Amino acid sequence: MASSGSSTIPSTNSYTRLPDLKIPPRSGSSADLTRSARSSRLGSPMEDMTKYEKKLLQGDGGYLLEDVPHLTDYIPDLPTHPNPLQDNTAYSVVKQYFVNTDDTVVQKVIQHKSSSRGTHFRRAGPRQKVYFESDEVKACIVTCGGLCPGLNTVIREIVCGLEVMYGVKELIGIQGGYMGFYSKNTVTLTRKTVDDIHKKGGTVLGTSRGGHDTIKIVDSIQDRGINMVFIIGGDGTQKGAAAIYQEVKRRGYKCVVCGIPKTIDNDIPVIDKSFGFDSAVEEAQRAINAAHVEAESAENGIGLVKLMGRYSGFIAQYATLASRDVDLCLIPESPFYLDGHGGLLEFIEKRIKEYGHMVIVVAEGAGQDLIAQDMRSMDNKDASGNKLLLDVGLWLSQKIKEHFGKKKKTLNLKYIDPTYMIRAIPSNASDNVYCTLLAQCAVHGAMAGFTGYTVGLVNGRHAYIPFYKITECQNKVSITDRMWARLLSSTNQPSFLSKKDIEEKKEEEELQVSATSADNGN
């Protein structure tokens, strides 16, 4: 039975509401927000969509909660209902299956005695009261951007979570990404239809880049009577989700917009890791092992493997650390030079002379500035706004061959690009568990009335994170921390950086941390 009035989100006894702040989006491309979504036909609403409101709450303990929006922020006096989970036999043995309304997750675990208590996020999980009755929910799921291991698992678990835990019967899948809202048919999703999709790679709903037209999408959502939207995609997709939330809010429509962050590159900030990353690192081992066998079996053999990593080299870094067969790892965050004393080619020649073979792992975004000097770059971009990169693997292979050719030395180089093989695999056991928890937390948040949020793992705990936090910057490998030092120790490669370069990198990272802290009011 419904109770009149809304439940307090959160307890006013524990928090003080700070003034809402509006911040501009990150400069540069808006990825999945294509030109059509920014066209003049959208009028003034688009201006509001590109400004994210910060919902800041100051806790009694002296910490800052960066809260996520709630339906009651713009639709007051919504009725609440008892959570159906209290009658679910699977949860009957759990001592405390409802999350305390004041529970938060801290963004940074390591603190100094003189530092503030830092930024916190709302803890994810089921609430005692929900804002939807099971039979009124009509949910939809859409996948956008590139492929990634685990997409089908997330789809499956959202469907199973809504149907099994909350008794929801109406779920549809939007086919073909954002443009599917207004140009494609939908597919009915049930527990039976998604039963074994987690064993397959890719996405059963199909995907695309671009195609984001906020007005058309929200019109479609309203026309279909959808009141829960689950959007799976990377930072560009999440920007699109933020725009959809802003338009839904502007119309005063009762509809939850929830994002599940997806990027195989692991370049989304705040969260510990993105789903599919572990699977990608594991699959990359097969390519590295093959490169090692090829290199070891030939005179002066080199196995060169190109891995994903447009702006962030996490897959290359972790695959290198896991393999222990890699002699050289190149990532976008760590610049290098080819010729001269201490250069890349000199190191390769020295390693070949010493061991007779070597394995090189290079992230796709590494060395782009050097390639641009050799080739005329057209600076083209794909439909998501991402810069089209030149093939660093082919370019580096050619440079190595030319170097050894000039010295009239034998060389056997094998180039392996497993990019699309890695993207297309189903998720491994670790990612399957992670995807399940992400999906269930997303469902719990939606039923509890939270909106305009994404769900992710923060310091080992699942949390609800405002959209702007995961789109304001990119997660990058820090080449001045211990993890990168461990890699250099494993490969025994030089950093290819001068002392001046290292100091500049440190200053750049410290300024970024200071700017983020100031932005959060710490």
Side-chain angles (χ1 to χ4, degrees), residues 513-522:
V513 171
S514 300
T516 303
S517 298
D519 189 44
N520 291 337
N522 295 331

mmCIF file of all heavy atoms in Angstrom, residues 513-522:
data_model
loop_
_atom_site.group_PDB
_atom_site.id
_atom_site.type_symbol
_atom_site.label_atom_id
_atom_site.label_comp_id
_atom_site.label_asym_id
_atom_site.label_seq_id
_atom_site.Cartn_x
_atom_site.Cartn_y
_atom_site.Cartn_z
ATOM 1 N N VAL A 513 45.004 17.394 -9.643
ATOM 2 C CA VAL A 513 44.446 17.007 -8.344
ATOM 3 C C VAL A 513 43.971 18.231 -7.583
ATOM 4 O O VAL A 513 42.889 18.241 -6.993
ATOM 5 C CB VAL A 513 45.501 16.227 -7.517
ATOM 6 C CG1 VAL A 513 45.009 16.031 -6.095
ATOM 7 C CG2 VAL A 513 45.800 14.899 -8.163
ATOM 8 N N SER A 514 44.778 19.312 -7.610
ATOM 9 C CA SER A 514 44.405 20.547 -6.910
ATOM 10 C C SER A 514 43.150 21.158 -7.487
ATOM 11 O O SER A 514 42.269 21.621 -6.764
ATOM 12 C CB SER A 514 45.557 21.560 -6.983
ATOM 13 O OG SER A 514 46.708 21.047 -6.383
ATOM 14 N N ALA A 515 43.050 21.147 -8.827
ATOM 15 C CA ALA A 515 41.871 21.716 -9.484
ATOM 16 C C ALA A 515 40.618 20.929 -9.136
ATOM 17 O O ALA A 515 39.556 21.489 -8.875
ATOM 18 C CB ALA A 515 42.078 21.735 -10.995
ATOM 19 N N THR A 516 40.744 19.594 -9.091
ATOM 20 C CA THR A 516 39.599 18.744 -8.749
ATOM 21 C C THR A 516 39.169 18.988 -7.311
ATOM 22 O O THR A 516 37.980 19.081 -7.006
ATOM 23 C CB THR A 516 39.958 17.256 -8.939
ATOM 24 O OG1 THR A 516 40.378 17.060 -10.286
ATOM 25 C CG2 THR A 516 38.766 16.374 -8.642
ATOM 26 N N SER A 517 40.154 19.113 -6.401
ATOM 27 C CA SER A 517 39.829 19.354 -4.995
ATOM 28 C C SER A 517 39.147 20.698 -4.807
ATOM 29 O O SER A 517 38.174 20.834 -4.071
ATOM 30 C CB SER A 517 41.111 19.298 -4.146
ATOM 31 O OG SER A 517 41.684 18.018 -4.219
ATOM 32 N N ALA A 518 39.654 21.716 -5.516
ATOM 33 C CA ALA A 518 39.046 23.046 -5.417
ATOM 34 C C ALA A 518 37.639 23.033 -5.979
ATOM 35 O O ALA A 518 36.715 23.656 -5.433
ATOM 36 C CB ALA A 518 39.909 24.065 -6.165
ATOM 37 N N ASP A 519 37.458 22.295 -7.074
ATOM 38 C CA ASP A 519 36.139 22.197 -7.708
ATOM 39 C C ASP A 519 35.136 21.526 -6.785
ATOM 40 O O ASP A 519 33.951 21.835 -6.786
ATOM 41 C CB ASP A 519 36.261 21.411 -9.005
ATOM 42 C CG ASP A 519 34.982 21.447 -9.824
ATOM 43 O OD1 ASP A 519 34.403 22.529 -9.929
ATOM 44 O OD2 ASP A 519 34.581 20.399 -10.341
ATOM 45 N N ASN A 520 35.630 20.583 -5.940
ATOM 46 C CA ASN A 520 34.747 19.869 -5.020
ATOM 47 C C ASN A 520 34.540 20.617 -3.711
ATOM 48 O O ASN A 520 33.825 20.151 -2.832
ATOM 49 C CB ASN A 520 35.324 18.482 -4.706
ATOM 50 C CG ASN A 520 35.270 17.572 -5.914
ATOM 51 O OD1 ASN A 520 34.468 17.784 -6.803
ATOM 52 N ND2 ASN A 520 36.117 16.563 -5.943
ATOM 53 N N GLY A 521 35.196 21.773 -3.576
ATOM 54 C CA GLY A 521 35.034 22.565 -2.375
ATOM 55 C C GLY A 521 35.874 22.098 -1.210
ATOM 56 O O GLY A 521 35.632 22.459 -0.069
ATOM 57 N N ASN A 522 36.893 21.246 -1.466
ATOM 58 C CA ASN A 522 37.738 20.735 -0.387
ATOM 59 C C ASN A 522 38.943 21.652 -0.199
ATOM 60 O O ASN A 522 39.574 22.031 -1.154
ATOM 61 C CB ASN A 522 38.239 19.317 -0.720
ATOM 62 C CG ASN A 522 37.092 18.340 -0.794
ATOM 63 O OD1 ASN A 522 36.091 18.534 -0.116
ATOM 64 N ND2 ASN A 522 37.233 17.296 -1.604
#
